[in-house]
Amino acid sequence: QAAADPMSSSDAPEDGPKETSSVSQNISDADAFKILLEMKMKKRQKKPTLPSTVTELDTDDGSKVYVVGTAHFSDSSKKDVVKTIQEVQPDVVVVELCQYRVSMLKMDEKTLLKEAKEINLEKLQQAIKQNGVMSGLMQMLLLKVSAHITEQLGMAPGGEFREAFKEASKVPFCKFHLGDRPIPVTFKRAIAALSFWQKVKLAWGLCFLSDPISKDDVEKCKQKDLLEQMMAEMIGEFPDLHRTIVSERDIYLTYMLKQAAKQIELPRASETEPRKYIPAVVVGVVGMGHVPGIEKNWNSDLNIQEIMSVPPPSASSKIFKFVIKATVFGLMGYGCYRIGQRTVQFILSMPAAQSYLQKLTEIRSQH
């Protein structure tokens, strides 16, 4: 627009010609592409000033990846994401989301806050239908944890991803990629990795989580040393859970970042012009807990086929599933019994019912 209309009507001299400028209004797509790309390159900082939460990684072909480590309920993390995207003007932005959680990008903060606090039967049924009984129940327990944090902080989750989505849309020719492994795969692999008693212990801990959480606690999660200490404590108690929920997703996120960092093709004026490629610039937005794993895996040859498979349910999973079903049906049966008992008592206490019973008693005594 700036190239096509360099001077607005209010700035034009009054005694000049009244005809429209002779600058061509019909520039080709290739020329427009080149103009926007040049503008983008001029805004891209050669030595960007980046937040301390950003880790810079390089590929063999010269592409650069800036990984922003975030805390998922942090205002300062949102600012870190915005600043990084503005400074480096990326070609691709990759976020720690999968297609099952992409809806949070389009919902406003108020709606998300309401959704995050409400855990109802409909959500439980949807989770079980999507992930199976065991994985669905585990997902609901983790949603309960998220709801607890949401209630404590008054802040909806995923703010840094929404900021990344908004900011990426302002950068010319910037693509937006979902970089996380599908959540049903993660939950099913996590459940399969736990023993029966580990599942009971984990479910019990999640059910009765009530510790207060402050914004300072959230900000501390951006400190690598403290986070690694917390991870070490988690590994000690549930090593298999850490492997499936954290380590495997580190591999998946690294793989997706490397895929996004492939060289990009420059626009061509015609089909006969030879293809030219330049190194890509990528911004990754992930939880701080994944940053050490991404750094560790960066120079490795990665194969994600193995971590995408879902193992068949173990014997302990079948037992736990049977116990859960038996408990649910038992509670439903007991509830029906209690409701029926109270209904009968209520009906019998009515005057009409008592009168009818009295007549029946008199008839029986006469015979």
Side-chain angles (χ1 to χ4, degrees):
Q1 185 178 1
D5 187 17
M7 187 182 291
S8 64
S9 58
S10 60
D11 293 329
E14 292 180 7
D15 56 349
K18 295 183 179 180
E19 290 85 0
T20 307
S21 170
S22 60
V23 176
S24 173
Q25 300 290 318
N26 299 317
I27 59 173
S28 67
D29 289 345
D31 288 339
F33 197 109
K34 284 180 180 177
I35 291 168
L36 286 171
L37 191 62
E38 284 172 9
M39 290 169 62
K40 176 178 176 176
M41 292 304 179
K42 284 179 182 177
K43 287 183 72 177
R44 183 177 285 175
Q45 301 295 319
K46 290 182 180 178
K47 291 184 178 179
T49 305
L50 300 171
S52 60
T53 52
V54 176
T55 300
E56 187 176 336
L57 301 167
D58 298 303
T59 66
D60 294 335
D61 56 20
S63 295
K64 287 193 175 293
V65 178
Y66 299 92
V67 183
V68 188
T70 66
H72 292 316
F73 289 85
S74 166
D75 278 326
S76 65
S77 282
K78 292 192 278 188
K79 292 174 184 175
D80 289 351
V81 169
V82 171
K83 182 173 177 59
T84 303
I85 293 174
Q86 288 176 348
E87 286 283 311
V88 306
Q89 293 289 296
D91 303 301
V92 186
V93 171
V94 181
V95 295
E96 185 198 327
L97 286 176
C98 68
Q99 65 266 35
Y100 293 93
R101 293 183 291 157
V102 74
S103 60
M104 71 164 56
L105 295 174
K106 297 179 180 179
M107 294 169 72
D108 61 87
E109 191 82 10
K110 188 177 179 181
T111 306
L112 271 167
L113 199 58
K114 184 182 176 184
E115 284 282 319
K117 288 180 180 179
E118 290 180 357
I119 298 178
N120 50 37
L121 186 60
E122 186 181 346
K123 283 187 179 180
L124 176 60
Q125 289 173 336
Q126 187 178 354
I128 290 173
K129 185 179 179 181
Q130 182 177 299
N131 303 315
V133 175
M134 292 302 306
S135 300
L137 289 170
M138 189 61 68
Q139 184 178 344
M140 290 309 296
L141 287 173
L142 290 172
L143 278 175
K144 179 184 179 294
V145 175
S146 179
H148 170 66
I149 299 171
T150 299
E151 192 171 356
Q152 293 277 320
L153 300 178
M155 185 186 299
E160 73 274 33
F161 303 136
R162 287 189 294 282
E163 289 299 323
F165 184 64
K166 289 178 196 172
E167 210 59 37
S169 67
K170 300 175 187 177
V171 179
F173 314 112
C174 182
K175 297 177 182 177
F176 191 85
H177 288 184
L178 303 176
D180 202 2
R181 181 172 67 178
I183 201 166
V185 176
T186 297
F187 275 121
K188 286 173 183 176
R189 285 184 65 85
I191 290 297
L194 294 177
S195 68
F196 173 76
W197 292 113
Q198 282 179 322
K199 289 169 189 170
V200 172
K201 189 176 181 181
L202 180 64
W204 182 266
L206 292 173
C207 277
F208 293 96
L209 179 76
S210 59
D211 294 337
I213 297 166
S214 68
K215 291 191 177 182
D216 288 338
D217 294 330
V218 172
E219 293 303 322
K220 285 176 185 176
C221 289
K222 292 167 67 180
Q223 301 171 19
K224 288 187 180 181
D225 293 340
L226 179 65
L227 198 65
E228 284 173 7
Q229 182 184 340
M230 291 164 61
M231 286 292 182
E233 291 174 6
M234 180 182 170
I235 291 168
E237 199 163 0
F238 300 103
D240 293 322
L241 193 66
H242 180 272
R243 174 176 56 79
T244 52
I245 290 183
V246 181
S247 300
E248 290 183 359
R249 287 171 61 226
D250 289 346
I251 294 170
Y252 192 92
L253 287 164
T254 307
Y255 178 84
M256 295 302 287
L257 285 168
K258 291 177 85 169
Q259 291 296 306
K262 290 181 177 179
Q263 289 192 326
I264 59 171
E265 183 183 348
L266 289 174
R268 294 183 295 160
S270 66
E271 291 295 326
T272 57
E273 188 178 330
R275 295 177 185 271
K276 293 180 183 178
Y277 296 87
I278 59 169
V281 173
V282 177
V283 169
V285 182
V286 303
M288 182 60 80
H290 290 293
V291 176
I294 291 171
E295 287 185 272
K296 177 185 171 184
N297 292 306
W298 189 250
N299 294 315
S300 305
D301 291 327
L302 303 174
N303 181 6
I304 62 169
Q305 295 304 316
E306 185 183 344
I307 61 171
M308 289 299 290
S309 62
V310 179
S314 62
S316 63
S317 292
K318 291 177 181 177
I319 293 168
F320 194 66
K321 185 177 177 180
F322 173 77
V323 170
I324 291 292
K325 282 187 174 180
T327 303
V328 170
F329 284 119
L331 288 171
M332 287 175 64
Y334 179 72
C336 290
Y337 165 74
R338 292 292 295 172
I339 291 170
Q341 190 181 41
R342 289 183 180 181
T343 303
V344 170
Q345 288 175 349
F346 174 73
I347 292 171
L348 291 176
S349 65
M350 293 174 69
Q354 288 181 351
S355 175
Y356 183 72
L357 287 172
Q358 189 177 358
K359 287 180 179 179
L360 282 176
T361 306
E362 289 174 359
I363 291 168
R364 288 186 65 183
S365 63
Q366 288 174 2
H367 286 79

PDB file of all heavy atoms in Angstrom, residues 170-188:
ATOM      1  N   LYS A 170       0.832 -10.527  12.445  1.00  0.00           N
ATOM      2  CA  LYS A 170       1.291  -9.180  12.064  1.00  0.00           C
ATOM      3  C   LYS A 170       2.586  -9.226  11.245  1.00  0.00           C
ATOM      4  O   LYS A 170       2.987  -8.209  10.682  1.00  0.00           O
ATOM      5  CB  LYS A 170       1.523  -8.335  13.323  1.00  0.00           C
ATOM      6  CG  LYS A 170       0.289  -8.145  14.186  1.00  0.00           C
ATOM      7  CD  LYS A 170       0.658  -7.408  15.467  1.00  0.00           C
ATOM      8  CE  LYS A 170      -0.527  -7.353  16.439  1.00  0.00           C
ATOM      9  NZ  LYS A 170      -0.146  -6.704  17.719  1.00  0.00           N
ATOM     10  N   VAL A 171       3.236 -10.385  11.209  1.00  0.00           N
ATOM     11  CA  VAL A 171       4.511 -10.516  10.491  1.00  0.00           C
ATOM     12  C   VAL A 171       4.241 -11.037   9.080  1.00  0.00           C
ATOM     13  O   VAL A 171       3.618 -12.089   8.927  1.00  0.00           O
ATOM     14  CB  VAL A 171       5.471 -11.476  11.236  1.00  0.00           C
ATOM     15  CG1 VAL A 171       6.795 -11.614  10.470  1.00  0.00           C
ATOM     16  CG2 VAL A 171       5.727 -10.986  12.653  1.00  0.00           C
ATOM     17  N   PRO A 172       4.693 -10.330   8.036  1.00  0.00           N
ATOM     18  CA  PRO A 172       4.436 -10.800   6.665  1.00  0.00           C
ATOM     19  C   PRO A 172       4.989 -12.203   6.414  1.00  0.00           C
ATOM     20  O   PRO A 172       6.105 -12.514   6.822  1.00  0.00           O
ATOM     21  CB  PRO A 172       5.184  -9.767   5.794  1.00  0.00           C
ATOM     22  CG  PRO A 172       5.280  -8.551   6.647  1.00  0.00           C
ATOM     23  CD  PRO A 172       5.411  -9.037   8.052  1.00  0.00           C
ATOM     24  N   PHE A 173       4.175 -13.042   5.801  1.00  0.00           N
ATOM     25  CA  PHE A 173       4.559 -14.397   5.379  1.00  0.00           C
ATOM     26  C   PHE A 173       5.027 -15.272   6.537  1.00  0.00           C
ATOM     27  O   PHE A 173       5.889 -16.134   6.365  1.00  0.00           O
ATOM     28  CB  PHE A 173       5.649 -14.349   4.292  1.00  0.00           C
ATOM     29  CG  PHE A 173       5.363 -13.354   3.222  1.00  0.00           C
ATOM     30  CD1 PHE A 173       6.149 -12.223   3.075  1.00  0.00           C
ATOM     31  CD2 PHE A 173       4.286 -13.518   2.367  1.00  0.00           C
ATOM     32  CE1 PHE A 173       5.866 -11.277   2.094  1.00  0.00           C
ATOM     33  CE2 PHE A 173       4.003 -12.588   1.390  1.00  0.00           C
ATOM     34  CZ  PHE A 173       4.792 -11.462   1.252  1.00  0.00           C
ATOM     35  N   CYS A 174       4.462 -15.044   7.691  1.00  0.00           N
ATOM     36  CA  CYS A 174       4.826 -15.868   8.854  1.00  0.00           C
ATOM     37  C   CYS A 174       3.798 -16.985   9.014  1.00  0.00           C
ATOM     38  O   CYS A 174       2.596 -16.728   9.111  1.00  0.00           O
ATOM     39  CB  CYS A 174       4.876 -15.012  10.117  1.00  0.00           C
ATOM     40  SG  CYS A 174       5.360 -15.938  11.593  1.00  0.00           S
ATOM     41  N   LYS A 175       4.277 -18.217   9.037  1.00  0.00           N
ATOM     42  CA  LYS A 175       3.393 -19.371   9.217  1.00  0.00           C
ATOM     43  C   LYS A 175       3.273 -19.703  10.699  1.00  0.00           C
ATOM     44  O   LYS A 175       4.187 -19.434  11.481  1.00  0.00           O
ATOM     45  CB  LYS A 175       3.936 -20.576   8.452  1.00  0.00           C
ATOM     46  CG  LYS A 175       3.989 -20.375   6.942  1.00  0.00           C
ATOM     47  CD  LYS A 175       4.610 -21.564   6.254  1.00  0.00           C
ATOM     48  CE  LYS A 175       4.708 -21.347   4.750  1.00  0.00           C
ATOM     49  NZ  LYS A 175       5.378 -22.478   4.082  1.00  0.00           N
ATOM     50  N   PHE A 176       2.140 -20.304  11.052  1.00  0.00           N
ATOM     51  CA  PHE A 176       1.875 -20.673  12.444  1.00  0.00           C
ATOM     52  C   PHE A 176       1.666 -22.180  12.519  1.00  0.00           C
ATOM     53  O   PHE A 176       0.769 -22.716  11.892  1.00  0.00           O
ATOM     54  CB  PHE A 176       0.627 -19.932  12.940  1.00  0.00           C
ATOM     55  CG  PHE A 176       0.409 -20.026  14.423  1.00  0.00           C
ATOM     56  CD1 PHE A 176       1.031 -19.151  15.294  1.00  0.00           C
ATOM     57  CD2 PHE A 176      -0.422 -21.000  14.959  1.00  0.00           C
ATOM     58  CE1 PHE A 176       0.832 -19.234  16.663  1.00  0.00           C
ATOM     59  CE2 PHE A 176      -0.632 -21.093  16.313  1.00  0.00           C
ATOM     60  CZ  PHE A 176      -0.007 -20.206  17.182  1.00  0.00           C
ATOM     61  N   HIS A 177       2.535 -22.871  13.271  1.00  0.00           N
ATOM     62  CA  HIS A 177       2.480 -24.332  13.343  1.00  0.00           C
ATOM     63  C   HIS A 177       2.148 -24.815  14.757  1.00  0.00           C
ATOM     64  O   HIS A 177       2.586 -24.218  15.749  1.00  0.00           O
ATOM     65  CB  HIS A 177       3.843 -24.930  12.952  1.00  0.00           C
ATOM     66  CG  HIS A 177       4.148 -24.819  11.499  1.00  0.00           C
ATOM     67  ND1 HIS A 177       5.284 -25.354  10.927  1.00  0.00           N
ATOM     68  CD2 HIS A 177       3.469 -24.234  10.470  1.00  0.00           C
ATOM     69  CE1 HIS A 177       5.298 -25.093   9.628  1.00  0.00           C
ATOM     70  NE2 HIS A 177       4.203 -24.415   9.332  1.00  0.00           N
ATOM     71  N   LEU A 178       1.382 -25.902  14.822  1.00  0.00           N
ATOM     72  CA  LEU A 178       1.126 -26.588  16.095  1.00  0.00           C
ATOM     73  C   LEU A 178       2.223 -27.636  16.269  1.00  0.00           C
ATOM     74  O   LEU A 178       2.394 -28.505  15.423  1.00  0.00           O
ATOM     75  CB  LEU A 178      -0.249 -27.252  16.077  1.00  0.00           C
ATOM     76  CG  LEU A 178      -1.435 -26.318  15.789  1.00  0.00           C
ATOM     77  CD1 LEU A 178      -2.722 -27.122  15.707  1.00  0.00           C
ATOM     78  CD2 LEU A 178      -1.559 -25.231  16.851  1.00  0.00           C
ATOM     79  N   GLY A 179       2.960 -27.555  17.381  1.00  0.00           N
ATOM     80  CA  GLY A 179       4.150 -28.389  17.517  1.00  0.00           C
ATOM     81  C   GLY A 179       4.083 -29.507  18.525  1.00  0.00           C
ATOM     82  O   GLY A 179       5.064 -30.234  18.709  1.00  0.00           O
ATOM     83  N   ASP A 180       2.931 -29.683  19.208  1.00  0.00           N
ATOM     84  CA  ASP A 180       2.873 -30.689  20.275  1.00  0.00           C
ATOM     85  C   ASP A 180       2.254 -31.998  19.790  1.00  0.00           C
ATOM     86  O   ASP A 180       1.444 -32.007  18.854  1.00  0.00           O
ATOM     87  CB  ASP A 180       2.050 -30.147  21.450  1.00  0.00           C
ATOM     88  CG  ASP A 180       2.369 -30.851  22.766  1.00  0.00           C
ATOM     89  OD1 ASP A 180       3.254 -31.740  22.777  1.00  0.00           O
ATOM     90  OD2 ASP A 180       1.745 -30.513  23.787  1.00  0.00           O
ATOM     91  N   ARG A 181       2.609 -33.077  20.450  1.00  0.00           N
ATOM     92  CA  ARG A 181       2.033 -34.388  20.134  1.00  0.00           C
ATOM     93  C   ARG A 181       0.547 -34.401  20.515  1.00  0.00           C
ATOM     94  O   ARG A 181       0.166 -33.811  21.530  1.00  0.00           O
ATOM     95  CB  ARG A 181       2.789 -35.476  20.921  1.00  0.00           C
ATOM     96  CG  ARG A 181       2.297 -36.889  20.655  1.00  0.00           C
ATOM     97  CD  ARG A 181       3.205 -37.922  21.300  1.00  0.00           C
ATOM     98  NE  ARG A 181       3.180 -37.879  22.750  1.00  0.00           N
ATOM     99  CZ  ARG A 181       3.867 -38.704  23.548  1.00  0.00           C
ATOM    100  NH1 ARG A 181       4.629 -39.634  23.013  1.00  0.00           N
ATOM    101  NH2 ARG A 181       3.799 -38.593  24.855  1.00  0.00           N
ATOM    102  N   PRO A 182      -0.301 -35.043  19.712  1.00  0.00           N
ATOM    103  CA  PRO A 182      -1.738 -35.094  20.038  1.00  0.00           C
ATOM    104  C   PRO A 182      -1.970 -35.584  21.466  1.00  0.00           C
ATOM    105  O   PRO A 182      -1.386 -36.579  21.891  1.00  0.00           O
ATOM    106  CB  PRO A 182      -2.301 -36.076  19.010  1.00  0.00           C
ATOM    107  CG  PRO A 182      -1.372 -35.970  17.846  1.00  0.00           C
ATOM    108  CD  PRO A 182      -0.011 -35.728  18.440  1.00  0.00           C
ATOM    109  N   ILE A 183      -2.820 -34.885  22.190  1.00  0.00           N
ATOM    110  CA  ILE A 183      -3.013 -35.165  23.618  1.00  0.00           C
ATOM    111  C   ILE A 183      -3.565 -36.572  23.895  1.00  0.00           C
ATOM    112  O   ILE A 183      -3.184 -37.186  24.895  1.00  0.00           O
ATOM    113  CB  ILE A 183      -3.891 -34.063  24.267  1.00  0.00           C
ATOM    114  CG1 ILE A 183      -3.685 -34.042  25.775  1.00  0.00           C
ATOM    115  CG2 ILE A 183      -5.353 -34.204  23.916  1.00  0.00           C
ATOM    116  CD1 ILE A 183      -4.224 -32.805  26.444  1.00  0.00           C
ATOM    117  N   PRO A 184      -4.428 -37.167  23.031  1.00  0.00           N
ATOM    118  CA  PRO A 184      -4.879 -38.537  23.310  1.00  0.00           C
ATOM    119  C   PRO A 184      -3.722 -39.541  23.315  1.00  0.00           C
ATOM    120  O   PRO A 184      -3.706 -40.467  24.132  1.00  0.00           O
ATOM    121  CB  PRO A 184      -5.869 -38.839  22.175  1.00  0.00           C
ATOM    122  CG  PRO A 184      -6.337 -37.509  21.711  1.00  0.00           C
ATOM    123  CD  PRO A 184      -5.156 -36.614  21.862  1.00  0.00           C
ATOM    124  N   VAL A 185      -2.750 -39.342  22.423  1.00  0.00           N
ATOM    125  CA  VAL A 185      -1.583 -40.238  22.379  1.00  0.00           C
ATOM    126  C   VAL A 185      -0.785 -40.117  23.670  1.00  0.00           C
ATOM    127  O   VAL A 185      -0.382 -41.116  24.265  1.00  0.00           O
ATOM    128  CB  VAL A 185      -0.682 -39.904  21.158  1.00  0.00           C
ATOM    129  CG1 VAL A 185       0.587 -40.760  21.174  1.00  0.00           C
ATOM    130  CG2 VAL A 185      -1.440 -40.109  19.858  1.00  0.00           C
ATOM    131  N   THR A 186      -0.569 -38.880  24.116  1.00  0.00           N
ATOM    132  CA  THR A 186       0.199 -38.648  25.348  1.00  0.00           C
ATOM    133  C   THR A 186      -0.484 -39.293  26.547  1.00  0.00           C
ATOM    134  O   THR A 186       0.162 -39.979  27.352  1.00  0.00           O
ATOM    135  CB  THR A 186       0.374 -37.137  25.589  1.00  0.00           C
ATOM    136  OG1 THR A 186       1.139 -36.579  24.509  1.00  0.00           O
ATOM    137  CG2 THR A 186       1.099 -36.870  26.895  1.00  0.00           C
ATOM    138  N   PHE A 187      -1.795 -39.096  26.685  1.00  0.00           N
ATOM    139  CA  PHE A 187      -2.507 -39.653  27.840  1.00  0.00           C
ATOM    140  C   PHE A 187      -2.529 -41.178  27.811  1.00  0.00           C
ATOM    141  O   PHE A 187      -2.331 -41.828  28.845  1.00  0.00           O
ATOM    142  CB  PHE A 187      -3.933 -39.100  27.906  1.00  0.00           C
ATOM    143  CG  PHE A 187      -4.033 -37.773  28.593  1.00  0.00           C
ATOM    144  CD1 PHE A 187      -4.544 -36.674  27.940  1.00  0.00           C
ATOM    145  CD2 PHE A 187      -3.606 -37.611  29.902  1.00  0.00           C
ATOM    146  CE1 PHE A 187      -4.627 -35.439  28.561  1.00  0.00           C
ATOM    147  CE2 PHE A 187      -3.689 -36.387  30.544  1.00  0.00           C
ATOM    148  CZ  PHE A 187      -4.196 -35.293  29.865  1.00  0.00           C
ATOM    149  N   LYS A 188      -2.760 -41.739  26.652  1.00  0.00           N
ATOM    150  CA  LYS A 188      -2.817 -43.208  26.556  1.00  0.00           C
ATOM    151  C   LYS A 188      -1.461 -43.834  26.848  1.00  0.00           C
ATOM    152  O   LYS A 188      -1.377 -44.874  27.518  1.00  0.00           O
ATOM    153  CB  LYS A 188      -3.337 -43.624  25.172  1.00  0.00           C
ATOM    154  CG  LYS A 188      -4.836 -43.391  25.012  1.00  0.00           C
ATOM    155  CD  LYS A 188      -5.304 -43.650  23.592  1.00  0.00           C
ATOM    156  CE  LYS A 188      -6.799 -43.339  23.452  1.00  0.00           C
ATOM    157  NZ  LYS A 188      -7.281 -43.494  22.068  1.00  0.00           N
TER     158      LYS A 188
END
